[in-house]
Amino acid sequence: MIFVTVGTQLPFDRLVKAIDEIVPSLGGEEVICQSLGGKYMPVNMECRHYIGKQEYTRIFAEARIIVAHAGIGSILNAFKSGKHIIIMPRKASFGEHRNDHQTDTASALREYDNIHVAWDETQLSSILLSSDFKDINIPIRNNCSDSICASIKEFLLN
Amino acid sequence: MKLLAIASDGGHWEELCEILNGISQDFDICYVSTNDNCRYGLSKKDKFYVVKDFSRTSSRLIFKSLFSSLKIFLKEKPDAVITTGAAPGFVMVLVGWLFGKRTVWIDSLANVSRLSLSGRLILPIASRVYTQWKHLSTPKIFFAGTILRT
């Protein structure tokens, strides 16, 4: 199962449309899509506006791969659940976000084994269809680094 | 020590929860977010409030946000405020500052090239501002690691 998510703030029609067009090539694999009610109406898959956190966590755990905007929530959940994630940054020039920080986020995190950056729809299709993403063991990273927690705790208590 | 922890739904909330997991045993925490769904993962006895989300594109809502944040602050009387943003966190830090309380802003991991707009605006007001990227640290912007354990 492939889980497609655009996050909780803004729709991302370009991503949803790109996946909708790839679905016929996926050999019948289930696609669950969370699209925040964008204007684009998919023809090859169903999309849900918002998925509650409990169900979101379950879907994440069951997914073979995640496809998402380059949002930290999605990326963090991929790290926490040891999943591969293909991220496509939103572009401000398309009205997809207020600025281009997602491009910077994607560039900064692309070196992690489970982060795959698609800079456009063509790359998204290429990456998604090129691998089953089953061959690389991704460690589960949870809990933030001790140093930031220690620093915050120390600052608040002293 | 009573801590008011606030973040917008989504990545900001996820980052806040990561940090709180590492410090919660030392604090009595009251939680605030922009979506009731964020209650998931909290225990029944945890205090949780919802405020309306807004951003620079709906900035006229800042006054509504200020009012609801004040209501929560006056009810809970926290000793400190911690937030990972975004705009609702900015407003709560402002309220905390007005009441002379310690406030901590942790800028999102998403902001790699520069501090977020809210982070830059809150810098003169928050007691401490953290970035999660070493290259963005300055004498005023602290770096002490990230929410990603590497």
Side-chain angles (χ1 to χ4, degrees):
Chain A
M1 177 262 286
I2 299 170
F3 181 42
V4 183
T5 172
V6 306
T8 59
Q9 300 293 313
L10 296 161
F12 193 7
D13 283 352
R14 190 164 56 99
L15 177 69
V16 174
K17 181 168 184 280
I19 294 296
D20 194 37
E21 288 170 358
I22 297 169
V23 166
S25 312
L26 293 174
E29 182 172 9
E30 184 188 8
V31 178
I32 296 178
C33 173
Q34 174 267 327
S35 67
L36 215 59
K39 288 200 181 102
Y40 175 76
M41 302 304 290
V43 295
N44 297 311
M45 63 180 181
E46 284 187 25
C47 278
R48 293 164 62 180
H49 183 105
Y50 183 90
I51 295 175
K53 294 205 186 308
Q54 190 166 7
E55 195 184 357
Y56 181 91
T57 305
R58 180 186 60 76
I59 293 170
F60 231 93
E62 289 173 5
R64 174 176 69 84
I65 178 145
I66 317 297
V67 180
H69 70 147
I72 288 295
S74 308
I75 293 169
L76 195 51
N77 278 297
F79 277 120
K80 284 162 68 175
S81 51
K83 298 285 173 176
H84 285 276
I85 182 169
I86 304 173
I87 54 175
M88 189 162 89
R90 294 169 182 268
K91 290 189 184 159
S93 57
F94 292 158
E96 292 165 347
H97 212 311
R98 293 179 286 276
N99 54 45
D100 284 323
H101 75 274
Q102 285 206 359
T103 298
D104 297 335
T105 305
S107 296
L109 299 179
R110 66 198 292 194
E111 296 307 317
Y112 286 94
D113 282 344
N114 64 319
I115 307 285
H116 310 273
V117 182
W119 296 109
D120 59 31
E121 298 91 303
T122 308
Q123 283 192 12
L124 177 60
S125 176
S126 168
I127 295 169
L128 190 52
L129 297 174
S130 66
S131 167
D132 61 9
F133 298 101
K134 285 177 182 169
D135 57 337
I136 304 172
N137 269 331
I138 303 300
I140 289 177
R141 297 174 195 275
N142 47 27
N143 300 325
C144 65
S145 75
D146 295 326
S147 52
I148 189 171
C149 293
S151 174
I152 292 168
K153 191 157 66 171
E154 204 258 342
F155 177 70
L156 286 171
L157 294 174
N158 295 320
Chain B
M1 186 187 210
K2 191 165 191 181
L3 191 57
L4 189 153
I6 179 170
S8 306
D9 185 19
H12 295 281
W13 180 255
E14 301 271 351
E15 290 188 70
L16 182 66
C17 289
E18 289 298 307
I19 288 164
L20 293 177
N21 280 343
I23 68 172
S24 60
Q25 54 272 51
D26 294 283
F27 300 92
D28 171 21
I29 303 177
C30 153
Y31 300 84
V32 186
S33 186
T34 56
N35 190 321
D36 195 59
N37 239 279
C38 295
R39 205 185 282 270
Y40 171 68
L42 303 180
S43 78
K44 280 196 169 67
K45 63 172 176 58
D46 285 324
K47 288 209 183 133
F48 178 79
Y49 296 89
V50 176
V51 292
K52 264 197 140 42
D53 203 359
F54 75 100
S55 69
R56 75 185 85 164
T57 52
S58 52
S59 53
R60 72 194 184 289
L61 292 173
I62 195 170
F63 296 106
K64 260 192 174 169
S65 183
L66 191 56
F67 182 68
S68 37
S69 298
L70 261 168
K71 267 176 69 176
I72 296 167
F73 197 94
L74 288 168
K75 184 173 178 206
E76 293 297 327
K77 298 183 177 52
D79 301 301
V81 173
I82 183 170
T83 183
T84 47
F90 170 91
V91 170
M92 194 62 85
V93 167
L94 204 55
V95 171
W97 171 74
L98 284 168
F99 283 88
K101 302 298 177 188
R102 202 166 278 195
T103 57
V104 176
W105 175 281
I106 302 114
D107 213 51
S108 172
L109 187 67
N111 299 305
V112 180
S113 301
R114 65 192 301 204
L115 220 59
S116 63
L117 174 64
S118 309
R120 281 177 271 136
L121 290 172
I122 211 69
L123 191 53
I125 293 171
S127 311
R128 182 171 279 192
V129 170
Y130 285 91
T131 174
Q132 298 186 56
W133 295 96
K134 195 160 189 209
H135 60 267
L136 295 183
S137 65
T138 68
K140 290 194 179 157
I141 304 170
F142 283 75
F143 171 76
T146 83
I147 51 103
L148 272 186
R149 185 185 284 274
T150 52

